[in-house]
């Protein structure tokens, strides 16, 4: 049974007249609240208190009004109970809508938008000027303290031009694809984010990055969130998506997975398509200092809290090879991981993001 009774226990922490929508099960008994489970849920919060959690926000959770309200409530409750949340958001559909209104046709290569000089200006306008401020305002309206930022602010994210290679069946490079102003994070100003967090505010980051020569780059939101989690050595990276999580050959949810088992499932063709880059981001983040990374079903009400503070979670958690075995189904959800027994962990890939010199 899910243990998100903290939603009931923490209701007093949000502003008056705010409606908290509980998950489908919050541990009620026939006689009322289950005190044991309330204690258990609040204990989970104490284990994450003072630690950073990076959340990539996008998909259904951002496009649906009810889901967006639940997300903002989750972030506010996390802050009220001592967690240090950082939000990195996407906005691809909204960028696409704006380009259509401007009679501009988008071109995609292997799922990545080709971004010319005009398109990156539109992306910056939509992500930084509209979506970022909407998210920040929603969090603040519910009692949190949010600060909207872009990767260009104080060189928060410095990116290099993304080099996209196309390979043949033998793994040989057959083509270098020019995606325009699409970047890959190279440096993250962790000090800036920690300063904002230390001031009691929630950084809300738009994935628009600064180039080394004054360029503006659009960065994939998952990739940006992973880079931020690496730089902050976050206790968790949560990637909200519109699917259940990583599935096995029988289409059953894999609740925990290690780098080696993930690599094997990709090679076998069981994990494929758009799940591969998400899993790679999660793997890389954990290999490079993040305490654990989860691919979370953002269609679930309060998915962020569900993943962090319930037995079952809300997706697939990537954990270290030496700390967890592959687990399929819902009968085992707890795992040992810092900072406490309710946390869960890790995967693997080469490092590519480093903290900027001013953060050393």
């Amino acid at each position: 049974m899910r243990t998100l009774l903290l939603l009931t226990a923490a209701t007093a922490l949000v502003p008056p007249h705010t409606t908290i929508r509980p998950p489908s099960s919050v541990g009620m008994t026939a006689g009322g609240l289950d005190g044991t489970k309330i204690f258990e849920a609040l204990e989970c919060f104490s284990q994450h208190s003072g630690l950073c959690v990076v959340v990539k926000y996008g998909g259904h959770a951002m496009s649906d009004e009810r889901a967006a309200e639940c997300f903002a409530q989750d972030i506010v409750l996390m802050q009220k109970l001592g967690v240090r949340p950082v939000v990195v958001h996407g906005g691809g559909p909204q960028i696409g809508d704006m380009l259509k209104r401007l009679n501009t046709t988008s071109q995609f290569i292997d799922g990545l938008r080709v971004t010319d000089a005009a398109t990156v200006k539109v992306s910056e306008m939509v992500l930084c000027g509209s979506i970022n401020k909407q998210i920040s305002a929603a969090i603040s309206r519910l009692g949190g303290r949010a600060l909207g930022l872009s990767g260009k602010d104080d060189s928060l994210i410095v990116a290099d031009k993304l080099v996209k290679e196309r390979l043949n069946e033998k793994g040989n490079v057959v083509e270098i694809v020019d995606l325009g102003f699409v970047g890959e994070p190279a440096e993250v100003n962790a000090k800036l984010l920690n300063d904002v967090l230390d001031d009691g505010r929630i950084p809300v980051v738009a994935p628009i990055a600064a180039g080394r020569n004054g360029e503006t780059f659009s960065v994939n939101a998952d990739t940006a969130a992973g880079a931020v989690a690496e730089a902050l050595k976050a206790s968790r990276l949560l990637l909200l998506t519109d699917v259940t999580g990583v599935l096995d050959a029988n289409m059953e949810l894999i609740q925990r997975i290690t780098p080696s088992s993930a690599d094997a499932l990709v090679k076998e063709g069981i994990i494929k398509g758009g799940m591969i880059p998400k899993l790679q981001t999660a793997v890389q983040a954990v290999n490079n200092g993040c305490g654990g990374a989860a691919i979370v079903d953002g269609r679930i009400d309060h998915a962020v809290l569900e993943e962090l503070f319930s037995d079952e979670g809300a997706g697939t958690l990537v954990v270290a090879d030496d700390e967890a075995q592959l687990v399929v189904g819902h009968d085992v959800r707890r795992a040992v991981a810092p900072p406490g027994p309710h946390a869960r962990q890790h995967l693997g890939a080469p490092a590519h993001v480093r903290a900027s010199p001013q953060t050393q």
Side-chain angles (χ1 to χ4, degrees), residues 235-317:
S235 67
R236 280 291 182 274
L237 166 65
L238 307 183
L239 301 174
L240 270 62
T241 184
D242 289 342
V243 297
T244 306
V246 180
L247 305 180
D248 69 0
N250 297 317
M251 303 303 289
E252 290 284 338
L253 176 66
I254 300 172
Q255 293 207 317
R256 287 184 287 158
I257 193 169
T258 65
S260 57
S261 57
D263 183 60
L265 291 175
V266 171
K267 289 179 178 177
E268 293 171 15
I270 294 172
I271 298 175
K272 53 191 174 183
M275 183 55 68
I276 293 177
K278 287 186 180 295
L279 196 54
Q280 289 173 336
T281 295
V283 166
Q284 179 156 311
V286 177
N287 278 346
N288 293 316
C290 180
I295 297 170
V296 178
D297 187 350
R299 300 168 299 178
I300 298 173
D301 282 353
H302 301 290
V304 172
L305 297 183
E306 193 83 52
E307 172 58 33
L308 284 175
F309 307 116
S310 74
D311 294 343
E312 294 183 359
T316 299
L317 179 70

Side-chain angles (χ1 to χ4, degrees), residues 95 119-130 150 152 208 216:
I95 294 171
T119 301
V120 78
K121 288 181 179 180
V122 173
S123 298
E124 183 172 14
M125 175 181 69
V126 172
L127 292 172
C128 304
S130 178
S150 84
K152 293 171 68 174
I208 293 292
T216 296

